[in-house]
């Protein structure tokens, strides 16, 4: 059996974002606390006992408090069910949560060599000593089975693959082994080896190619990049000067958007994740929400549990 918990469904900044006065953020602060959402991450387990995080968001501490599956087992003075963290990119909202996992429990970090280079280059991550926290390089198109802290197999098979995207924005224009080129943005296929059930996790994707369509066709479950509704929404709302594409994110709407591009692929369940607070599909009753839902999409929400 494959168990998945959505720890956070929001893009960088979360909902509400600390310095944002947009409609969604205002409502989330005041009369609609149900709009609140932490930054994107999921937890996955094959046995219900040992869990792997996909990305460690800056909201990790809050997410762990809210998720009983990730609490220390009763009676143990020091324990965590978290066996490892798989990183799909080097952005702040994917790696900053690692700093909240520094109190000496053993786990492993699985990441592309480029992301490992970013961690190596930032000495603050040395707080996770290599003795307790192994860093394991993963490679594109090479499936791996993450191990439990005692070395036993986890029962999960994870296949990383490249999707169209961008390097970490804070490395833009800088020469760094962690910036530019293939491997910046990974999608994952996560499979339970015993039951053969699987799903896809793609929290950042700039373009749905034919290759990606054929990969995702017939999947039981897909988490997909839902950052923006339309490419220029941050610019139009006066919230910033970057387009979705400019940040490496496809829009939900439009003829080249995610809803249209991923239609008709016989995917059982489609959930948007990494949703920016500017995205009107977050608002229940909005026209955008209705369009997404009538196309078979679910707007991701913190705490959603799925058993496959
Ligand atoms: Zn906002």
């Amino acid at each position: 059996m494959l168990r998945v918990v959505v720890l956070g469904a929001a893009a960088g900044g979360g909902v509400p974002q600390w310095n944002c006065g947009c409609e969604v953020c205002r409502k989330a602060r005041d009369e609609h606390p149900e709009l609140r959402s932490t930054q994107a991450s999921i937890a996955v387990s094959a046995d219900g006992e040992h869990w792997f995080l996909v990305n460690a968001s800056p909201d990790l501490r809050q997410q762990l408090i809210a998720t009983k599956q990730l609490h220390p087992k009763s009676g143990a003075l020091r324990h965590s069910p978290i066996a490892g963290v798989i990183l799909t990119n080097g952005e702040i909202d994917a790696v900053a949560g690692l700093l909240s996992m520094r109190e000496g429990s053993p786990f492993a970090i699985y990441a592309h060599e480029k992301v490992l280079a970013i961690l190596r280059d930032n000495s603050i991550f040395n707080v996770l000593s290599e003795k307790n926290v192994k860093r394991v390089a993963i490679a594109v198109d090479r499936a791996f089975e993450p191990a439990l802290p005692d070395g036993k197999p986890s029962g999960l098979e994870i296949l990383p693959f490249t999707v169209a995207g961008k390097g970490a924005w804070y490395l833009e224009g800088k020469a760094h082994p962690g910036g530019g080129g293939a491997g910046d943005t990974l999608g994952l296929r996560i499979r339970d080896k015993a039951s053969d059930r699987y799903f896809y996790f793609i929290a950042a994707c700039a373009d749905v190619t034919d290759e990606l369509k054929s990969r995702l066709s017939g999947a039981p479950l897909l988490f997909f990049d839902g950052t923006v509704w339309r490419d220029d929404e941050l610019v139009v709302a006066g919230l910033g000067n970057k387009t979705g594409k400019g940040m490496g994110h496809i829009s939900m709407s439009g003829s080249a958007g995610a809803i249209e591009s991923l239609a008709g692929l016989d995917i059982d369940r489609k959930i948007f994740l990494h949703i920016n607070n500017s995205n009107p599909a977050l608002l229940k009753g909005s026209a955008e929400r209705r369009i997404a839902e009538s196309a078979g999409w679910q707007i991701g929400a913190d705490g959603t549990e799925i058993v496959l």
Side-chain angles (χ1 to χ4, degrees):
M1 229 178 336
L2 201 49
R3 291 176 173 82
V4 189
V5 180
V6 175
L7 301 180
V15 185
Q17 177 177 312
W18 75 286
N19 61 348
C20 190
C22 79
E23 184 186 3
V24 173
C25 288
R26 274 188 286 112
K27 286 186 165 158
R29 270 186 209 101
D30 300 327
E31 75 269 35
H32 289 289
E34 73 279 5
L35 284 169
R36 290 177 194 169
S37 183
T38 60
Q39 294 166 84
S41 172
I42 61 168
V44 59
S45 175
D47 61 9
E49 197 180 327
H50 305 92
W51 291 81
F52 290 83
L53 308 182
V54 178
N55 296 330
S57 99
D59 299 320
L60 182 66
R61 180 178 170 278
Q62 182 185 345
Q63 294 167 341
L64 298 190
I65 292 169
T67 310
K68 61 180 185 317
Q69 293 92 328
L70 302 179
H71 294 175
K73 67 181 172 200
S74 65
L77 270 180
R78 281 281 196 272
H79 170 261
S80 170
I82 300 173
V85 182
I86 298 127
L87 302 174
T88 61
N89 63 74
E91 293 286 6
I92 290 165
D93 53 350
V95 303
L98 291 172
L99 299 173
S100 298
M101 299 176 73
R102 65 188 179 280
E103 278 89 7
S105 282
F107 69 97
I109 297 170
Y110 298 86
H112 191 275
E113 190 50 58
K114 295 162 76 82
V115 176
L116 292 180
I118 291 172
L119 300 183
R120 264 198 309 275
D121 200 42
N122 287 276
S123 54
I124 195 168
F125 290 103
N126 292 341
V127 74
L128 301 168
S129 84
E130 297 263 3
K131 192 164 72 80
N132 271 330
V133 184
K134 285 196 192 68
R135 301 181 186 187
V136 184
I138 61 177
V140 166
D141 298 327
R142 201 172 304 157
F144 66 98
E145 178 168 10
L148 304 181
D150 63 4
K152 293 201 178 98
S154 62
L156 293 170
E157 180 200 72
I158 300 182
L159 176 69
F161 53 91
T162 49
V163 292
K166 291 203 71 178
W169 65 265
Y170 56 87
L171 294 177
E172 239 170 54
K174 297 193 173 74
H176 187 280
D184 275 330
T185 310
L186 298 180
L188 303 175
R189 187 191 65 181
I190 301 180
R191 185 173 78 92
D192 172 37
K193 293 175 79 171
S195 68
D196 201 32
R197 298 291 283 168
Y198 69 96
F199 69 96
Y200 284 97
F201 177 93
I202 305 173
C205 181
D207 188 28
V208 175
T209 60
D210 288 342
E211 187 194 353
L212 183 60
K213 283 185 199 176
S214 58
R215 189 190 285 278
L216 300 180
S217 177
L221 170 66
L222 166 67
F223 292 102
F224 196 77
D225 184 348
T227 310
V228 290
W229 176 257
R230 43 181 283 181
D231 192 50
D232 60 356
E233 81 187 27
L234 284 167
V235 182
V236 170
L239 294 170
N241 53 13
K242 285 192 169 170
T243 61
K245 282 259 172 177
M247 298 184 292
H249 298 288
I250 192 173
S251 47
M252 288 186 182
S253 68
S255 57
I259 292 174
E260 193 68 33
S261 304
L262 294 167
L265 294 181
D266 195 27
I267 301 168
D268 280 355
R269 191 166 177 188
K270 297 180 280 192
I271 303 177
F272 278 123
L273 207 70
H274 198 273
I275 307 164
N276 197 53
N277 54 67
S278 58
N279 190 327
L282 283 170
L283 295 169
K284 288 196 178 96
S286 68
E288 292 84 358
R289 175 71 158 243
R290 277 198 297 278
I291 292 168
E293 287 180 345
S294 63
W297 283 87
Q298 199 179 328
I299 302 300
D302 293 21
T304 302
E305 294 183 42
I306 298 168
V307 178
L308 278 177

